[in-house]
Amino acid sequence: MRIAGGLAVLVLGSGAVGHAVMTGLDTGIERVDPFKDMKNRPQAGHGLNFLLVGTDGREKISPEEKREYRLGGAPCHCTDTIMLVHLSADRERASVISLPRDSYAEVPAHRDLVSGKNHKAHPVKLNAAYAEGGPQLTVRTVESMTRVKIDHYLEVDFTSFMKTVDAMGGVEICTAKTMRDPNTGLDLLPGTHRLTGGQALQYVRSRHVDGASDLGRMQRQQRFIAALIRQATGGGVLLNPVKFKEVSSTLLGSVRADKGFGSEQMLALGQAMRDFTPSSSEFASVPIGSPSFPVKGIGSTVKWDEPKAAKLFEALRQDRPLAPVRPGKAAARPAAVPVDVPPQQVRVQVENGTRIDGLGGRVDAALRATGFDTTGAPGNGASREVRRTVVTYDPRWDRSARSVSTALPGSELRAVPGQGRTVLVIAGADFRKVVPVRAEDPYQGGAVGVVTGDQVVCGR
């Protein structure tokens, strides 16, 4: 869940700020050796692979912050979040794959860090590998499960996550639904929000917003990473040496990394990725075969769909894109705004409420182009003096109406009991354009639910 901070290590190096800005930052990195004495490792592929883990670390947080952000309880000394990040050999693409923390795993033979006892290979939940054998056992277990060789290891905790988000000036996320989680204190109304570090922590930790539990949380974490990439690449952080050093030193002051990763590697990666954008990133979760696979002595685990997972990791090893390549310059199109009800499920009738010839037809065509099920037969409204576009709807279909209203910025929502399921749009003189919209959960459909970063950030 703090993994967005870890990904920032890779992204924040992309400004041409020079070695002088990075001087001294290496001294703040706590070093670990996750690759010590490792044998029989997978063969290296093309590109670079990072294992990013989010650990608890709540013992470092002040009592006030614990109360405000509902961080009570004892630290678990385990990995709450595990992500595999692949940077392509040409540095034009980053593929981020979330590994569920409750994944069924088999850890190799090892010595327990706590008890000092030697253990044979045995089944566990994936996040327990860290508790038993720290970073090294975590890397060994992930490599065994994925057959992907890990090049670098980065570990981020609550504190570094919050401080890094605050140093960046917050991160903008959007939601089409009210999001409330009594366990974390998350409370967001539909719309766009700029989250502080503490609020961002609530957002990426929440598991009880919907029925998707940990899988839904992974999707929100991925959305947050995409938003963080846009903030870093488009918010001036990379082009401002002072801001860059502030954010970098904040993050690196509490991150743990392998001995081979430091400021020089950040700069080298960053310079190669200077044109990186949200559309350059792609996100996926490991395909699930069973979300509640019972294991004696362990409980319910998440069992991967082995054939589909194998194809996913094979693409990573071969340095191939996970998401279908979009033709031409489609990747540069404006990001669609998330809505609650998919436009394909909303029936719309358009009327021209002005004396502007052809306005009804233009609005109908534009709504149809973004996915709405329009009638294709726009008519004239009872009044031809409508200044502000109106969306009338039956209260029983209010969620559908909000999807239409989102596509028509500045429009007025007006409830009309008994109107039926068809939403009526009365185009006014203020009409300028239809904003593209999409269902908030773009992960539905597709073999492994791959999305690119520009598909999950807030629309402009």
Side-chain angles (χ1 to χ4, degrees):
M1 63 193 66
R2 276 74 57 202
I3 221 61
L7 192 60
V9 173
L10 314 184
V11 178
L12 291 174
S14 60
V17 295
H19 288 273
V21 175
M22 304 298 290
T23 301
L25 293 187
D26 277 346
T27 59
I29 305 176
E30 182 180 346
R31 295 297 181 180
V32 295
D33 190 1
F35 309 118
K36 183 179 180 181
D37 299 328
M38 286 184 62
K39 300 176 182 178
N40 302 318
R41 301 186 66 192
Q43 184 177 354
H46 301 288
L48 280 177
N49 298 310
F50 292 77
L51 186 63
L52 307 183
V53 304
T55 57
D56 197 311
R58 69 184 72 197
E59 69 274 7
K60 302 177 184 178
I61 296 176
S62 69
E64 293 76 15
E65 289 176 320
K66 284 185 177 180
R67 285 193 297 270
E68 184 174 0
Y69 302 120
R70 313 244 179 127
L71 295 169
C76 69
H77 300 294
C78 59
T79 49
D80 272 343
T81 298
I82 306 171
M83 288 183 177
L84 192 56
V85 177
H86 173 79
L87 293 179
S88 62
D90 59 13
R91 301 299 186 264
E92 293 184 358
R93 184 184 69 258
S95 304
V96 181
I97 301 179
S98 296
L99 310 181
R101 66 177 188 174
D102 291 337
S103 296
Y104 173 85
E106 293 187 8
V107 296
H110 64 280
R111 175 171 291 182
D112 193 300
L113 285 180
V114 178
S115 66
K117 295 180 180 179
N118 290 321
H119 292 291
K120 297 180 180 179
H122 61 275
V124 295
K125 292 183 180 180
L126 180 56
N127 68 336
Y130 187 93
E132 289 192 22
Q136 186 183 62
L137 187 60
T138 301
V139 170
R140 291 179 64 195
T141 304
V142 171
E143 285 192 346
S144 175
M145 297 172 73
T146 65
R147 304 310 303 162
V148 173
K149 185 177 182 180
I150 307 300
D151 298 297
H152 290 292
Y153 174 90
L154 295 173
E155 182 180 308
V156 185
D157 62 20
F158 285 157
T159 303
S160 58
F161 177 85
M162 291 193 294
K163 289 182 177 179
T164 301
V165 172
D166 285 334
M168 292 183 67
V171 174
E172 183 181 83
I173 63 94
C174 50
T175 175
K177 305 177 182 178
T178 297
M179 301 182 70
R180 290 193 175 96
D181 186 340
N183 289 359
T184 65
L186 179 70
D187 189 359
L188 296 179
L189 295 174
T192 300
H193 308 268
R194 180 165 292 276
L195 304 184
T196 64
Q199 292 169 328
L201 185 62
Q202 291 174 314
Y203 180 79
V204 298
R205 287 185 63 230
S206 292
R207 301 178 62 202
H208 304 283
V209 172
D210 49 39
S213 189
D214 205 43
L215 300 181
R217 182 177 69 162
M218 288 193 304
Q219 292 179 0
R220 285 186 287 278
Q221 291 166 0
Q222 293 175 353
R223 288 191 183 101
F224 187 85
I225 290 175
L228 182 140
I229 291 174
R230 185 166 75 174
Q231 174 76 4
T233 57
V237 173
L238 302 179
L239 300 179
N240 184 329
V242 176
K243 189 69 172 176
F244 177 83
K245 186 166 186 177
E246 177 190 356
V247 174
S248 299
S249 60
T250 298
L251 173 63
L252 297 180
S254 53
V255 73
R256 296 179 60 180
D258 64 89
K259 297 177 180 179
F261 186 82
S263 59
E264 289 189 11
Q265 286 70 30
M266 280 183 65
L267 281 174
L269 283 172
Q271 288 165 359
M273 297 166 58
R274 57 185 175 271
D275 296 325
F276 209 73
T277 66
S279 62
S280 307
S281 58
E282 54 185 7
F283 300 87
S285 299
V286 177
I288 304 302
S290 172
S292 55
F293 180 70
V295 179
K296 185 177 181 180
I298 298 175
S300 179
T301 67
V302 175
K303 184 73 169 175
W304 294 0
D305 183 318
E306 296 295 345
K308 290 182 179 179
K311 290 181 180 179
L312 182 67
F313 295 120
E314 174 65 16
L316 226 59
R317 289 192 293 272
Q318 298 298 325
D319 199 25
R320 297 196 305 264
L322 306 180
V325 177
R326 288 178 282 183
K329 296 184 179 180
R333 68 186 186 276
V337 179
V339 292
D340 192 1
V341 178
Q344 293 81 3
Q345 297 178 12
V346 184
R347 184 68 168 170
V348 179
Q349 171 66 50
V350 177
E351 290 185 357
N352 185 354
T354 74
R355 299 184 185 278
I356 303 172
D357 290 340
L359 179 61
R362 295 206 310 272
V363 174
D364 182 284
L367 287 171
R368 192 182 323 120
T370 198
F372 288 99
D373 179 23
T374 65
T375 63
N380 292 321
S383 171
R384 307 303 296 276
E385 305 296 334
V386 177
R387 294 185 178 182
R388 181 183 179 188
T389 299
V390 177
V391 178
T392 72
Y393 64 97
D394 190 309
R396 293 176 296 171
W397 282 274
D398 60 324
R399 293 165 57 240
S400 296
R402 285 197 295 271
S403 292
V404 177
S405 181
T406 299
L408 297 166
S411 59
E412 174 189 347
L413 278 168
R414 187 179 298 169
V416 179
Q419 178 173 299
R421 69 178 294 265
T422 299
V423 176
L424 175 63
V425 172
I426 306 172
D430 67 335
F431 173 79
R432 294 294 179 269
K433 65 178 181 178
V434 168
V435 174
V437 297
R438 58 166 168 78
E440 185 176 42
D441 185 1
Y443 294 77
Q444 295 175 355
V448 292
V450 181
V451 295
T452 53
D454 59 326
Q455 292 177 296
V456 293
V457 295
C458 301
R460 293 296 191 188

